[in-house]
Amino acid sequence: MPRLSTGPISKANPALLWLVCVVLGFSALNTPAQAGKRETSVTNSDLARQQLLISWFGGTATTFDLIILRTEFNETVYYARVSATVNRASGEYRFIWTSDVPLECTSLSVGVRSRDGQKTSEWSQNQIQGRDFPTNSRFQMYPQDRIVPVGANTTFCCIVEEGKVFKSINYSGTEIKATRLSRRSYAATAVSQTASGTTGSNVICLSTDNKLSGAVVFVGYPPLPSNFSCETHDLVSAVCQWSKERDTHLVGRKRETVFSIMGRSCAEKSPEQKCTLRQWDGNWTLVAVNPLGRHSLTDSADISHRVSPVAPVNLTSIAHAWNATLYWEWTYSSYSSLALVCQVEITSHGNKTELFSGGGLRSVVLSDLQPDEHYRVRIRCGSQRNFWKWGNWSQVLSFTTRAYVPNPPDVWMWMNRDNTGMVVWKPLTRQQSRGRMKSYTVTFWNLEEKLHTQVVPADTYSVPFNLSQMVSFSDGNKVEAKVVANNVDRSSEPSKVPLRLIDVEPLVFSRVVYGDGGFRLNWEHNASATCSYLVEWYDALCMRDCAVDWIPLAAGSTNVSIESENFQPGVRYNFSLYSCPSDAPELIQRWQGYTQELVPSSSCHLSVSQQKSDVILTWNEIPLADRRGYLRGYNVYMNNGFQLTLLSDDLILEILASLGMVTLLLVIATVVCFKKRKCMVHIVERPERDPSKDALVIIPEEDEDDEDQAVGDEPVDTDEPQSLRYYNDAVDERPIRPRFPDSSFSSASSVDSANTDVTYTGIQTSCSSLVFQLDPQSSAEGHQHHSNSCGGGGGVYWPQMHPTALGDTSGPASSEPLLDSQAACSGGYKPQNSWHLDSPTQAGGNNNSLGSPVSIASTQFLLPEEEEHEGEKRASATTWFSNLLSSSRP
């Protein structure tokens, strides 16, 4: 009777065994007699699938309890109520159980009992022997060579050698957790397995003394073919092919994928699989099988829609200079009536493909070939009707075309200053030579006869000449050179270039900039010109027999970009433009330029000489070959013992800046002083008086008529007194503006008679003003006019004055004061006493009389009277500044 357990135990428990026996005995007493004891047998075990086929006879019962235990540890592996299938004829029940652990790992015990509701029969007893029994003492590992799909979980078990101690289980070099199954057996599970290599993945079991045992597992995919199709080559049989969608990672005879079409095996030989069927069926099925699964594909088609011609064979050719005829044969005679389209691949210096079509094609003509050229060709064809695909390429055929007349060479010439030079031409390319070059023939001609002929080898591209020895240009003769190219078959047409004496100075060079991979040259278009152009260039360092290069240009060209692989940085190149190069070359324009300017390759040789306190530096000129760019100047440095200091234009700029600042300050000061000196003098009148009666006029110095009263050209001083002359005549009713000494105005309305002198005390002020001083001798010495230039600000002056008449001083007086007028500056003038009007009969019978004095608007600072004379003494010290300001008045 098997022992029941719900968990692993290390050794048998007597009390538990006794309890189990009691329970089983009690169950047996309550089991119906007709249930009886079931005999269980394991009729088959599939070790590869880890399955047990359990069978028993159960009478009429339909439900059974099944229990499976690991025998040594009495550990329950499986316990369930099952409904088994029954063989009606024999009454045998069968149940298949799949184990997670290989069946070889340890011994198992199987028990079955029938159940009818709560009533059960006795347990049947059966034992399956594992590989861990004591008599089998060797080191073992299971399963061996197992094949599993990618992503699966696989449990491996290790049976340790008798007397050894288990250490670990490693999968592909990584240790995995192990569980003990019996005294010698251990199990471990590898999860989510990845695809293995061609030799599989290794599983190793180690003991503590480093003894080991192992197994190999192959992890891969089931087959998955694709692109299955069938076609015909001979219009009879079928060739089916397919490709593998993915690699199965299963290698070896027992693990590889097996393919079959319509039951006929097709061995897997290459990534693109093929299988030939003798007869065209029209319908095909491909089946692919490996240990992990199978996959099938189908295809169907009419034979006329699946023609893929075989490759042509026995290719031959007949070659000419410009074309060739290609011939071939077919393997199958059925192609003679088949409409084909063929593709010819021609390879020379580049690939060229041509298409041809026709029924039963066996030859084609290849055109547009080059003389004396080596070609390689191959051909393939396809069905013209119901085109399926191109057939296979033929073998390569090689042939060479015949030689032909070469192209005329591109000829130019180089002239030295002594009328010697060279005739030069460019080498012909393989296509231009049209055959292997043999030589060049150079002939010099004038208008009458051949002067000289020279034949040079094929690798020579210039011939020297001396033009002075060939012809005298005074006779009007013209010399030209003709060059003919000769290949192994024929000679080219001659190319000619006229030769000329140098009798004029060359044009001046213009600078040209290199950019975008070339020198961009531009010139003006000549509408009347019909000749072509030619641009030549050479190293500017070359002076004789230079290696010149050139490019011909079409008529009407106005620009060109000169590009060359021979251009080098730091090298100056000369460019010349000629018109009519093949008839009468004329130099039109010249340029110079660098592809890239570099630092000079040599330094200046510096010498120093001293003259008194001056040091003179001299240096030699850098040779053109060492300049490697345009010289734009020299930097001179001074070594002061600690560092090198540039002497540059900064010093001059600093001096000029300093002078500019000083000048600016002087100008600002002059403008400010000039503006501050201006002060307006206005006439302030009584509103009720008639403005035509009285007027106060300033009389400029130059308007004085009395020689004994004139002051002359003496300088005006701001502290000197200045007099006003008052006229009782009618004047312009407009305000009287102050007049300056340089004014040309003369009052036409003034009357010389009946005047009254009013003198004001000189005042030093900060505003431009008029100053008047009372002088006892004023009537005898005349009037003096002075102006005072000063700054801003002002005050009010109230003089204590009495009238002064030329005759009688008596007359009526008026106590009516004058009204203040608006002052030009911040101050003004008001009389301090009653003013008496002069009698009209006084002053020599003149009817003009002095009216009430007017107030003068003035912006002045007043000085004490005791400082009046002291101010006059200081006036002479400022005379020069007053003259400076007076001269600038408008």
Side-chain angles (χ1 to χ4, degrees), residues 232-532:
T232 183
H233 297 315
D234 57 2
L235 305 181
V236 176
S237 62
V239 177
C240 299
Q241 58 186 4
W242 61 93
S243 59
K244 294 190 301 183
E245 188 70 20
R246 66 188 177 194
D247 186 9
T248 63
H249 293 272
L250 300 179
V251 181
R253 186 175 59 84
K254 295 181 179 180
R255 295 175 290 274
E256 66 184 8
T257 303
V258 177
F259 297 92
S260 62
I261 300 177
M262 308 301 291
R264 177 176 295 180
S265 177
C266 299
E268 182 180 3
K269 299 297 182 182
S270 63
E272 185 178 358
Q273 310 300 321
K274 288 185 179 181
C275 190
T276 302
L277 305 177
R278 294 183 178 181
Q279 195 66 34
W280 184 271
D281 295 329
N283 295 283
W284 307 271
T285 299
L286 171 69
V287 178
V289 179
N290 75 0
L292 295 179
R294 60 183 291 150
H295 191 82
S296 62
L297 296 172
T298 60
D299 184 38
S300 61
D302 185 83
I303 191 171
S304 63
H305 293 75
R306 296 290 180 88
V307 177
S308 177
V310 295
V313 294
N314 301 327
L315 271 68
T316 57
S317 65
I318 298 177
H320 305 281
W322 300 100
N323 57 66
T325 304
L326 182 64
Y327 301 91
W328 67 89
E329 297 177 357
W330 292 111
T331 304
Y332 303 107
S333 59
S334 57
Y335 282 21
S336 59
S337 59
L338 182 64
L340 296 172
V341 57
C342 296
Q343 188 179 48
V344 180
E345 182 184 78
I346 306 173
T347 304
S348 180
H349 297 289
N351 291 339
K352 178 182 178 182
T353 302
E354 296 186 3
L355 291 176
F356 306 92
S357 61
L361 281 177
R362 294 179 180 270
S363 65
V364 294
V365 176
L366 307 178
S367 58
D368 298 330
L369 305 182
Q370 294 295 324
D372 194 41
E373 189 69 57
H374 184 73
Y375 292 96
R376 292 166 54 87
V377 297
R378 61 176 184 170
I379 186 171
R380 65 179 180 180
C381 299
S383 177
Q384 187 176 1
R385 295 188 296 269
N386 303 319
F387 182 84
W388 163 244
K389 63 166 62 172
W390 289 111
N392 295 330
W393 285 106
S394 68
Q395 296 293 324
V396 175
L397 173 68
S398 299
F399 64 89
T400 302
T401 54
R402 298 182 60 183
Y404 198 68
V405 178
N407 287 350
D410 187 1
V411 180
W412 186 233
M413 54 84 186
W414 171 263
M415 290 293 296
N416 298 317
R417 301 296 296 176
D418 59 354
N419 291 324
T420 63
M422 298 185 301
V423 177
V424 293
W425 60 91
K426 293 184 178 180
L428 297 180
T429 63
R430 183 176 179 85
Q431 291 185 349
Q432 293 172 339
S433 63
R434 299 173 180 174
R436 183 175 59 85
M437 288 301 300
K438 183 174 63 175
S439 62
Y440 292 94
T441 302
V442 182
T443 305
F444 296 93
W445 294 77
N446 63 9
L447 295 179
E448 300 177 354
E449 60 180 344
K450 181 190 300 184
L451 301 178
H452 175 68
T453 299
Q454 184 176 354
V455 178
V456 297
D459 57 352
T460 302
Y461 310 110
S462 63
V463 169
F465 63 85
N466 190 325
L467 196 58
S468 300
Q469 296 178 358
M470 289 184 180
V471 65
S472 172
F473 274 80
S474 60
D475 297 336
N477 293 330
K478 178 181 179 182
V479 175
E480 65 180 14
K482 296 182 178 179
V483 181
V484 174
N486 309 308
N487 64 16
V488 293
D489 188 66
R490 302 183 187 181
S491 298
S492 71
E493 292 294 325
S495 295
K496 63 179 182 178
V497 57
L499 307 181
R500 69 195 188 286
L501 291 173
I502 300 178
D503 53 357
V504 294
E505 289 296 326
L507 301 179
V508 178
F509 287 100
S510 301
R511 290 187 182 181
V512 62
V513 179
Y514 182 87
D516 296 331
F519 290 97
R520 187 72 177 180
L521 308 181
N522 299 275
W523 59 91
E524 295 183 358
H525 175 64
N526 188 353
S528 61
T530 59
C531 293
S532 60

Side-chain angles (χ1 to χ4, degrees), residues 109-129:
S109 297
V110 179
V112 178
R113 67 182 178 183
S114 62
R115 174 177 291 275
D116 183 10
Q118 296 299 324
K119 297 180 181 181
T120 59
S121 68
E122 296 182 4
W123 288 101
S124 65
Q125 297 183 15
N126 194 7
Q127 185 172 340
I128 302 171
Q129 188 69 40

Side-chain angles (χ1 to χ4, degrees), residues 3-273:
R3 294 169 291 178
L4 301 178
S5 175
T6 59
I9 56 176
S10 60
K11 60 189 294 186
N13 190 332
L16 181 59
L17 291 177
W18 180 84
L19 179 60
V20 171
C21 291
V22 171
V23 172
L24 291 178
F26 182 79
S27 298
L29 293 176
N30 292 278
T31 301
Q34 64 269 18
K37 185 177 182 181
R38 304 302 170 196
E39 294 293 335
T40 305
S41 65
V42 179
T43 58
N44 190 14
S45 60
D46 189 342
L47 298 179
R49 291 189 175 95
Q50 299 180 182
Q51 293 179 343
L52 290 179
L53 176 58
I54 306 170
S55 61
W56 67 91
F57 292 92
T60 60
T62 58
T63 304
F64 303 90
D65 292 337
L66 177 64
I67 186 170
I68 301 175
L69 305 93
R70 293 193 181 105
T71 304
E72 188 170 344
F73 284 170
N74 195 28
E75 180 182 4
T76 301
V77 178
Y78 181 82
Y79 179 80
R81 186 172 297 175
V82 298
S83 297
T85 59
V86 62
N87 188 334
R88 298 294 182 181
S90 62
E92 182 183 29
Y93 290 86
R94 290 187 176 184
F95 182 81
I96 297 177
W97 175 71
T98 302
S99 174
D100 293 334
V101 180
L103 298 177
E104 300 94 337
C105 293
T106 187
S107 299
L108 298 175
S109 297
V110 179
V112 178
R113 67 182 178 183
S114 62
R115 174 177 291 275
D116 183 10
Q118 296 299 324
K119 297 180 181 181
T120 59
S121 68
E122 296 182 4
W123 288 101
S124 65
Q125 297 183 15
N126 194 7
Q127 185 172 340
I128 302 171
Q129 188 69 40
R131 301 291 177 89
D132 60 345
F133 52 88
T135 57
N136 188 4
S137 61
R138 62 187 179 87
F139 221 141
Q140 304 168 67
M141 191 78 183
Y142 298 99
Q144 289 287 334
D145 299 331
R146 177 69 58 85
I147 302 173
V148 298
V150 173
N153 301 335
T154 305
T155 301
F156 301 91
C157 70
C158 171
I159 303 176
V160 182
E161 183 179 349
E162 192 69 44
K164 302 296 182 180
V165 179
F166 171 81
K167 180 180 180 182
S168 65
I169 296 177
N170 298 332
Y171 179 87
S172 296
T174 302
E175 182 178 352
I176 54 179
K177 184 179 179 181
T179 302
R180 191 171 189 180
L181 304 179
S182 67
R183 184 176 57 87
R184 292 170 54 200
S185 298
Y186 296 84
T189 302
V191 298
S192 301
Q193 294 170 268
T194 59
S196 58
T198 56
T199 59
S201 299
N202 295 323
V203 185
I204 304 297
C205 180
L206 293 172
S207 63
T208 54
D209 58 353
N210 290 329
K211 279 199 170 184
L212 60 87
S213 179
V216 178
V217 61
F218 297 90
V219 185
Y221 296 96
L224 186 63
S226 62
N227 302 325
F228 175 61
S229 64
C230 297
E231 61 188 20
T232 183
H233 297 315
D234 57 2
L235 305 181
V236 176
S237 62
V239 177
C240 299
Q241 58 186 4
W242 61 93
S243 59
K244 294 190 301 183
E245 188 70 20
R246 66 188 177 194
D247 186 9
T248 63
H249 293 272
L250 300 179
V251 181
R253 186 175 59 84
K254 295 181 179 180
R255 295 175 290 274
E256 66 184 8
T257 303
V258 177
F259 297 92
S260 62
I261 300 177
M262 308 301 291
R264 177 176 295 180
S265 177
C266 299
E268 182 180 3
K269 299 297 182 182
S270 63
E272 185 178 358
Q273 310 300 321

Side-chain angles (χ1 to χ4, degrees), residues 519-587:
F519 290 97
R520 187 72 177 180
L521 308 181
N522 299 275
W523 59 91
E524 295 183 358
H525 175 64
N526 188 353
S528 61
T530 59
C531 293
S532 60
Y533 292 98
L534 182 143
V535 176
E536 70 171 15
W537 65 90
Y538 57 93
D539 189 341
L541 295 177
C542 180
M543 303 304 295
R544 182 179 182 85
D545 294 341
C546 299
V548 64
D549 200 353
W550 67 95
I551 179 174
L553 303 173
S557 300
T558 58
N559 61 80
V560 67
S561 180
I562 305 298
E563 303 176 4
S564 175
E565 297 179 353
N566 298 325
F567 285 150
Q568 298 294 327
V571 177
R572 184 184 296 182
Y573 294 96
N574 293 344
F575 300 88
S576 301
L577 174 66
Y578 294 90
S579 64
C580 304
S582 60
D583 298 324
E586 180 182 357
L587 181 61

Side-chain angles (χ1 to χ4, degrees), residues 570-703:
V571 177
R572 184 184 296 182
Y573 294 96
N574 293 344
F575 300 88
S576 301
L577 174 66
Y578 294 90
S579 64
C580 304
S582 60
D583 298 324
E586 180 182 357
L587 181 61
I588 303 298
Q589 193 169 346
R590 306 186 80 185
W591 299 269
Q592 276 187 342
Y594 291 87
T595 59
Q596 180 183 357
E597 294 189 59
L598 303 177
V599 177
S601 59
S602 65
S603 59
C604 299
H605 178 69
L606 185 65
S607 60
V608 181
S609 61
Q610 185 172 358
Q611 295 182 358
K612 297 183 180 179
S613 61
D614 296 333
V615 175
I616 299 177
L617 304 179
T618 58
W619 56 87
N620 61 312
E621 184 179 10
I622 299 178
L624 180 61
D626 297 337
R627 293 180 186 177
R628 305 200 299 177
Y630 297 110
L631 293 182
R632 295 173 174 83
Y634 296 87
N635 290 336
V636 179
Y637 294 88
M638 179 177 65
N639 188 348
N640 59 7
F642 298 95
Q643 61 181 358
L644 290 176
T645 304
L646 182 64
L647 303 172
S648 63
D649 294 338
D650 294 343
L651 180 60
I652 300 176
L653 293 177
E654 292 177 1
I655 295 174
L656 293 178
S658 301
L659 293 176
M661 292 297 295
V662 173
T663 304
L664 180 61
L665 291 176
L666 290 176
V667 171
I668 293 174
T670 303
V671 171
V672 170
C673 293
F674 176 76
K675 289 185 176 181
K676 294 299 182 179
R677 60 172 289 279
K678 293 182 179 180
C679 183
M680 305 295 290
V681 178
H682 299 277
I683 302 299
V684 180
E685 301 176 297
R686 291 175 58 89
E688 63 274 10
R689 289 183 61 85
D690 187 358
S692 63
K693 292 183 179 181
D694 303 314
L696 181 63
V697 180
I698 303 173
I699 305 300
E701 290 179 347
E702 60 269 22
D703 292 338

